Amino acid sequence: NGFTGKNQLWMWARNDDGGLGQNNLTNYSSPVQVGTNDVWSSIAQNGRTTTSIKADGTFWAWGRNQYGQLGQNESGGSPDKVSSPVQIGGNTNWSKLNQTKSNNTTTFLSIKTDGTLWSWGQNDKGMMGINIQEGTEYSSPTQVGTDTTWDQISASGNTAVSIKTDGTLWVWGQNGNYGPFGNNNRDQVFSSPVQIPGTTWEYVEMSGYNGLGWHGIKTDGTLWGTGYNYYGQIGNNTAYWNSGGNNGYSSPVQIPGTTWSKTSSSVNATFGVKTDGTLWAWGDNEFGELGMGTAGHPQMRSSPIQIPGTTWSDVCAGVYYTVQALKTDGTLWSWGYNGVGELGQNEQGPSSFKSSPTQIPGTWVGLGGNGLRASAAIKQP
């Protein structure tokens, strides 16, 4: 999940924990550059903490630090917030970041170029995957097992999901009463990775809010979902809110189509890009996050609906109700909630939400994982 070449990192919106990396705690409703160099390769946000890998393989973090999630080997979350990037250790072989969807995830997971998986921060419900279930915090990266075949990692709330290079899918942490693990069970805690059936998984992302499910894509392009489904965010034409139907799936269920390439989820809505460049949305639409030009609960959708256009290349939905998407021409678009300037349109306030994609000026190369009411993207100078 890195971007090649010289890349600048830009961020905007909420900054009361220093997560925008501006050496201050000021909110910004338009993109501002992090530092002055062009060395950023990838970006992800866990709630109010930001992490990034540079082109030289070093790992950097900034923002909230109450559980040692900045990886500075200081107990008790001291300092509790850092508003400029600080390096985690001295390693230069970091490769992939944890992409999270939660307002309170305080555990970080990352993969190195040698295929090893590492975690640090808070360890509630075995979230770190190190075979310790509760009560331990780690302020420095700790290896998860001894495997060297980890390829993708995503986490939310107290649940993590990962794919290995052999196409197997693994989960750990808390399996709540909606069955987000997808192992046909509910209300479990696993402090070490457990496998979900199948060997053809190609992409996975924690979906829903605070670890309530995941969406995964297989090598045949089919899309599958698990967990919470009150608003129809699974996408299989069922929802609990209007029919009293299934409120959660503890085993993966298929969403129609065989050309899916990427998904991303906000609080109660899901978005997917297909290989033909089309962009689709389903679930809740309270603040226009489905991009249909309308907003409100009556417009919820339990099956994918197309957002106009055929040149979409990537999508990234925030922890809250904001969505970003990138087109093949390098244009960046945003829509949904805009309480503190999450849309990057130089305006803010609940009434300034957008129910259709609106362009953010500039030419961009990658999206950065929206945090708790904060946004990020990468562009070339």
Side-chain angles (χ1 to χ4, degrees):
N1 55 347
F3 311 108
T4 59
K6 292 185 176 181
N7 298 308
Q8 298 173 343
L9 174 57
W10 295 71
M11 302 189 70
W12 58 97
R14 185 175 182 169
N15 193 37
D16 53 349
D17 290 290
L20 300 188
Q22 299 301 310
N23 199 32
N24 61 45
L25 304 180
T26 303
N27 292 346
Y28 294 85
S29 58
S30 295
V32 289
Q33 187 177 354
V34 178
T36 59
N37 51 41
D38 309 324
V39 296
W40 304 101
S41 174
S42 58
I43 175 73
Q45 298 179 67
N46 283 26
R48 299 180 182 180
T49 307
T50 305
T51 58
S52 184
I53 296 174
K54 290 185 177 181
D56 61 3
T58 56
F59 199 113
W60 299 74
W62 57 99
R64 181 176 284 193
N65 187 43
Q66 76 272 38
Y67 297 106
Q69 59 263 47
L70 294 186
Q72 297 304 301
N73 197 28
E74 296 176 347
S75 61
S78 177
D80 64 343
K81 61 182 68 174
V82 174
S83 59
S84 294
V86 292
Q87 187 175 351
I88 297 178
N91 291 330
T92 60
N93 62 341
W94 294 103
S95 174
K96 296 182 179 180
L97 294 168
N98 162 40
Q99 299 292 329
T100 188
K101 296 295 171 194
S102 176
N103 70 328
N104 62 3
T105 295
T106 51
T107 307
F108 280 77
L109 298 110
S110 185
I111 297 172
K112 292 184 176 181
T113 55
D114 61 5
T116 56
L117 176 62
W118 300 74
S119 64
W120 61 98
Q122 195 175 23
N123 191 42
D124 282 356
K125 310 299 181 183
M127 177 66 175
M128 287 182 59
I130 55 174
N131 203 29
I132 298 175
Q133 189 171 119
E134 293 287 352
T136 306
E137 299 170 9
Y138 289 80
S139 59
S140 295
T142 303
Q143 188 172 352
V144 178
T146 59
D147 289 351
T148 59
T149 56
W150 298 103
D151 185 56
Q152 293 182 42
I153 181 67
S154 181
S156 180
N158 293 318
T159 307
V161 60
S162 184
I163 293 178
K164 292 184 178 181
T165 54
D166 61 1
T168 55
L169 179 64
W170 301 74
V171 294
W172 62 93
Q174 185 176 24
N175 188 28
N177 59 0
Y178 299 109
F181 274 16
N183 67 339
N184 200 31
N185 284 289
R186 304 170 191 259
D187 297 314
Q188 300 169 307
V189 173
F190 289 99
S191 57
S192 297
V194 294
Q195 187 179 350
I196 302 301
T199 59
T200 59
W201 296 101
E202 188 172 62
Y203 172 88
V204 68
E205 189 227 25
M206 285 301 302
S207 55
Y209 185 55
N210 287 342
L212 297 181
W214 52 261
H215 277 87
I217 300 173
K218 294 185 177 181
T219 52
D220 61 3
T222 57
L223 175 62
W224 301 75
T226 69
Y228 187 56
N229 193 46
Y230 185 90
Y231 298 98
Q233 59 266 55
I234 294 291
N236 68 332
N237 200 31
T238 65
Y240 192 80
W241 63 272
N242 67 349
S243 65
N246 197 325
N247 197 18
Y249 290 89
S250 61
S251 294
V253 293
Q254 187 176 353
I255 292 84
T258 58
T259 57
W260 297 99
S261 64
K262 170 75 182 290
T263 64
S264 187
S265 300
S266 62
V267 173
N268 291 312
T270 306
F271 308 85
V273 177
K274 292 187 176 182
T275 55
D276 61 2
T278 56
L279 176 61
W280 301 76
W282 57 98
D284 194 11
N285 192 45
E286 183 175 2
F287 294 99
E289 56 265 47
L290 297 189
M292 300 186 298
T294 58
H297 286 303
Q299 287 88 39
M300 299 175 193
R301 296 290 186 271
S302 59
S303 294
I305 59 170
Q306 187 177 349
I307 296 174
T310 58
T311 58
W312 299 101
S313 61
D314 199 1
V315 64
C316 184
V319 169
Y320 217 47
Y321 306 89
T322 307
V323 188
Q324 295 176 354
L326 191 67
K327 290 187 176 182
T328 54
D329 62 2
T331 55
L332 177 62
W333 302 75
S334 64
W335 62 96
Y337 189 74
N338 195 43
V340 290
E342 295 96 323
L343 299 184
Q345 302 293 332
N346 197 31
E347 58 181 354
Q348 60 183 1
S351 63
S352 65
F353 71 85
K354 308 289 184 184
S355 58
S356 296
T358 304
Q359 188 177 350
I360 298 174
T363 302
W364 305 81
V365 297
L367 306 178
N370 291 354
L372 180 61
R373 302 178 67 180
S375 303
I378 291 178
K379 67 179 180 180
Q380 293 180 334

